[in-house]
Amino acid sequence: MAMNEEKMHAFGEALVNDLGSMMLGSLAYIGDQLGLFQTLADKSPMTTDQLANASSCNERYIREWLSAMAAAGWLEYEAEDRAFTLPPE
């Protein structure tokens, strides 16, 4: 049986998209449960240290969460101030 390369690539793309969605969904859940989105909505822009202190969370985990959410386009990153913003939209 010959493999259909077009179907194989389509499946690979769907798999990567689905895995990304699962990871982003988990990160969104964590952010909601810890109140990170609400804190950012109330006090943006914030650095990783500021959000870690405001949420009583470890700065390293907050940095990873913020970076992932910014990479996904959910947050904006201001390199000059090293701060993250939750856009009003």
Side-chain angles (χ1 to χ4, degrees), residues 44-50 77-85:
S44 281
M46 295 183 82
T47 65
T48 58
D49 287 328
Q50 290 169 331
Y77 178 66
E78 301 163 18
E80 184 176 310
D81 299 327
R82 301 180 79 166
F84 294 83
T85 301

Side-chain angles (χ1 to χ4, degrees), residues 26-38 57 65:
S26 296
L27 288 173
Y29 178 77
I30 289 168
D32 180 59
Q33 292 298 298
L34 293 176
L36 302 178
F37 288 117
Q38 187 61 56
C57 293
W65 183 84

Side-chain angles (χ1 to χ4, degrees), residues 41-86:
D42 294 340
K43 300 178 182 179
S44 281
M46 295 183 82
T47 65
T48 58
D49 287 328
Q50 290 169 331
L51 184 56
N53 289 331
S55 62
S56 299
C57 293
N58 184 289
E59 189 274 336
R60 168 65 193 268
Y61 296 131
I62 293 297
R63 182 175 1 119
E64 297 294 338
W65 183 84
L66 286 167
S67 296
M69 297 306 285
W74 288 42
L75 302 177
E76 296 172 354
Y77 178 66
E78 301 163 18
E80 184 176 310
D81 299 327
R82 301 180 79 166
F84 294 83
T85 301
L86 179 64

